[in-house]
Amino acid sequence: MHSGVETLLRIVHKLSLSAQVIAGITLAFMMIVTLGDVILRAFGKPILGTYEIISFSGGVVIGLAIPYTSWMKGHIYVDVLVDRHPRIKGGAFRGKDIVNFITRCAGIALFFLMGWSFFGYAESIYVSNEVTQTLRIPFYPIAYGLGVSCYIQSLLLFCDILKLIGGENG
């Protein structure tokens, strides 16, 4: 593969891995807050705003885990349908590669538009200064983070296309 492509692949891998690390730390934080709240509730002193904290953290965990999970091919694929379809199997140019190319292109468009939408939403809630009811946590950083995650996913899908073109199984 071309060195520029390899550099891009390394950058996207590091970005997705960084997002995964943040998601993992956030998941551990969620467990600690939940455990602490359960224990403190037994003493009549629950943690204020636990629902808000866990809700925001859950969004962070799910959103930031998507790119690395996709990099590791951890998502469910519809290969069973592709492999069983006679017109898609075999040939000089594998039909499966065409299906993968089309789905990656659709994914790029979808995640790019989602990222753009998250950024627009984040800007509007930043301007309106929306915060959570109990802890007064601003909403906009979460929306920006999810937008960044969507852009990382778009880049990752683009890398999958580059790998397909290079002859790797994307």
Side-chain angles (χ1 to χ4, degrees):
M1 233 185 263
H2 188 269
S3 66
V5 173
E6 289 173 358
T7 301
L8 178 63
L9 290 173
R10 276 196 304 276
I11 290 169
V12 171
H13 180 257
K14 286 181 182 178
L15 285 171
S16 65
L17 185 58
S18 298
Q20 178 73 3
V21 167
I22 294 168
I25 291 169
T26 305
L27 182 60
F29 171 73
M30 287 174 65
M31 292 186 308
I32 291 167
V33 169
T34 302
L35 178 64
D37 187 53
V38 169
I39 291 170
L40 291 174
R41 278 183 189 274
F43 297 104
K45 303 278 186 187
I47 297 174
L48 186 65
T50 301
Y51 180 78
E52 292 173 358
I53 293 168
I54 298 302
S55 296
F56 272 22
S57 298
V60 169
V61 169
I62 292 168
L64 295 182
I66 289 172
Y68 190 73
T69 304
S70 185
W71 181 275
M72 299 303 293
K73 306 292 183 229
H75 292 121
I76 297 171
Y77 290 97
V78 291
D79 285 346
V80 173
L81 297 175
V82 172
D83 289 341
R84 291 185 182 201
H85 197 285
R87 290 197 298 193
I88 294 177
K89 289 168 70 174
F93 190 73
R94 293 183 15 220
K96 187 174 181 179
D97 290 339
I98 295 170
V99 171
N100 282 336
F101 179 81
I102 291 169
T103 58
R104 296 313 186 273
C105 288
I108 290 169
L110 174 71
F111 280 99
F112 183 83
L113 290 174
M114 285 173 52
W116 185 51
S117 181
F118 271 122
F119 269 76
Y121 179 63
E123 179 64 26
S124 71
I125 58 179
Y126 173 77
V127 168
S128 67
N129 200 27
E130 284 188 50
V131 294
T132 61
Q133 189 172 7
T134 306
L135 297 178
R136 315 295 295 163
I137 301 170
F139 285 103
Y140 73 90
I142 304 300
Y144 277 126
L146 293 174
V148 168
S149 180
C150 287
Y151 287 142
I152 293 171
Q153 180 66 15
S154 290
L155 264 174
L156 193 141
L157 292 170
F158 178 71
C159 288
D160 276 354
I161 289 173
L162 293 177
K163 288 190 269 185
L164 269 173
I165 291 170
E168 288 184 41
N169 193 7

